[in-house]
């Protein structure tokens, strides 16, 4: 083979290899989102358009971040006014991504519908998940009464470091996400296979902040291959940013809802 032809084929092969190389990092990018909401006399026009914008954001997240909404996740969370549920933040927390910017937003009100189109800057983190790094979370029950004790059971495929947080969407402070485990009574968060929390001489009590007859809160369980430092409290946005900072292959993230029902 002539030397020049051999060199050309080598260059072509190199370029093809580069083109076919799997992309390990998903850079944030602008994604189109469209949402609409029915205008009605029972809801202010500004609120209807706000909900349309939320749906536009969700559609953008779904395109890049992937949807993780299940029947269990939805639980009692609706946006029809029957249940006092912060649907916006809830739905946001079910996607593997975070919106970090909005541009080119357009609002149209036609035929009794508010329609919003926008461009969302979506960050989904880096890398690809490791399918062998996995765990499940089971609660002692799905429906609690105030001040019930909660038990959390975790079953892991391999050794990992586990952090458990509780997200209270009803709080009015920035400390929406608080750490439950590890804690001052149990500092060892490395597990090898199965674990039941709490361990030792302490309890995890369900203490609702909402005074509604029914409310829903969410455990946020994050497992990492290496020990990772977390703060004791976060806002939901700060917590989502923290999760995205960890490469997908190095962590697993599970959300677990539970309902609190007041009997009287």
């Amino acid at each position: 083979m002539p030397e020049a032809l051999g060199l050309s084929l080598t260059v072509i092969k190199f370029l093809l290899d580069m083109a076919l190389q799997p992309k390990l990092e998903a850079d944030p990018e602008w994604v189109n989102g469209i949402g609409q909401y029915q205008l009605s006399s029972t809801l202010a026009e500004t609120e209807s358009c706000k909900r349309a914008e939320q749906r536009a954001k969700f559609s953008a997240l779904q395109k890049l971040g992937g949807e993780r909404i299940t029947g269990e996740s939805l639980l009692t969370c609706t946006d029809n006014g029957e249940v006092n549920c912060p649907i916006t933040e809830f739905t946001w927390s079910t996607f593997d991504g975070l919106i970090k910017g909005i541009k080119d937003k357009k609002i149209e009100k036609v035929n009794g519908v508010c329609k919003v189109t926008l461009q969302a800057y979506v960050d989904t983190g880096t890398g690809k998940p490791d399918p062998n790094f996995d765990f499940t979370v089971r609660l002692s029950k799905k429906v609690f009464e105030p001040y019930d004790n909660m038990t959390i059971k975790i079953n892991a495929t391999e050794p990992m470091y586990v952090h458990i947080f509780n997200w209270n969407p009803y709080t009015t402070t920035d400390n929406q996400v608080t750490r439950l485990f590890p804690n001052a009574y149990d500092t060892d968060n490395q597990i090898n296979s199965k674990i039941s929390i709490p361990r030792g001489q302490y309890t995890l009590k369900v203490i609702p902040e909402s005074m509604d007859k029914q409310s829903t809160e969410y455990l946020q369980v994050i497992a990492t291959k290496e020990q990772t430092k977390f703060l004791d409290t976060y806002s939901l946005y700060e917590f989502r940013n923290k999760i995205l900072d960890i490469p997908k292959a190095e962590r697993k993230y599970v959300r677990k809802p539970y309902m609190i029902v007041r009997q009287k």
Side-chain angles (χ1 to χ4, degrees), residues 49-262:
C49 290
K50 180 180 178 182
R51 296 188 182 189
E53 180 177 345
Q54 292 164 5
R55 290 181 173 182
K57 292 177 181 178
F58 302 155
S59 70
L61 275 173
Q62 183 177 359
K63 290 175 183 177
L64 197 59
E67 191 174 7
R68 292 291 187 272
I69 298 178
T70 64
E72 181 188 45
S73 297
L74 287 171
L75 210 54
T76 61
C77 199
T78 67
D79 62 351
N80 59 12
E82 296 179 0
V83 178
N84 181 19
C85 181
I87 185 68
T88 307
E89 290 185 293
F90 161 77
T91 310
W92 227 7
S93 78
T94 64
F95 286 88
D96 293 331
L98 189 63
I99 291 178
K100 294 189 172 182
I102 295 292
K103 70 177 183 179
D104 299 337
K105 184 173 72 173
K106 183 179 179 181
I107 301 175
E108 297 178 288
K109 302 168 189 173
V110 181
N111 297 327
V113 173
C114 183
K115 179 181 178 181
V116 176
T117 58
L118 51 76
Q119 292 285 314
Y121 193 61
V122 180
D123 186 356
T124 60
T126 58
K128 296 182 179 180
D130 179 353
N132 296 314
F133 187 72
D134 199 11
F135 69 93
T136 59
V137 180
R138 299 286 184 268
L139 302 185
S140 46
K141 49 187 176 180
K142 294 181 180 179
V143 180
F144 295 85
E145 293 184 26
Y147 305 102
D148 276 352
N149 290 334
M150 176 186 287
T151 300
I152 306 166
K153 294 184 177 181
I154 297 177
N155 189 11
T157 57
E158 60 184 85
M160 59 183 61
Y161 296 91
V162 173
H163 293 262
I164 303 175
F165 290 82
N166 189 70
W167 172 41
N168 181 354
Y170 303 91
T171 185
T172 56
T173 69
D174 286 336
N175 299 330
Q176 296 173 298
V177 183
T178 57
R179 182 163 61 181
L180 301 179
F181 176 85
N183 53 59
Y185 303 99
D186 193 353
T187 59
D188 183 8
N189 67 325
Q190 183 178 24
I191 67 172
N192 294 314
S193 56
K194 295 182 180 181
I195 187 174
S196 182
I197 301 170
R199 302 177 295 189
Q201 302 302 312
Y202 75 98
T203 59
L204 292 176
K205 286 193 177 294
V206 176
I207 304 177
E209 184 163 326
S210 171
M211 296 303 295
D212 294 336
K213 185 177 179 180
Q214 290 185 172
S215 58
T216 307
E217 297 186 10
Y218 309 85
L219 291 184
Q220 312 278 325
V221 186
I222 179 78
T224 56
K225 293 183 179 180
E226 301 293 334
Q227 185 67 277
T228 303
K229 291 184 178 180
F230 285 86
L231 299 175
D232 290 333
T233 61
Y234 293 92
S235 69
L236 181 61
Y237 186 84
E238 292 168 340
F239 185 71
R240 298 289 290 144
N241 258 319
K242 175 67 175 180
I243 300 302
L244 291 177
D245 283 343
I246 305 171
K248 292 179 181 179
E250 299 297 317
R251 46 102 168 166
K252 173 75 175 182
Y253 179 32
V254 172
R255 312 158 186 89
K256 200 73 174 177
Y258 60 94
M259 186 190 302
I260 307 171
V261 177
R262 297 179 183 272

Side-chain angles (χ1 to χ4, degrees), residues 1-11:
M1 179 185 295
E3 183 178 348
L5 179 58
L7 179 60
S8 298
L9 291 176
T10 300
V11 171

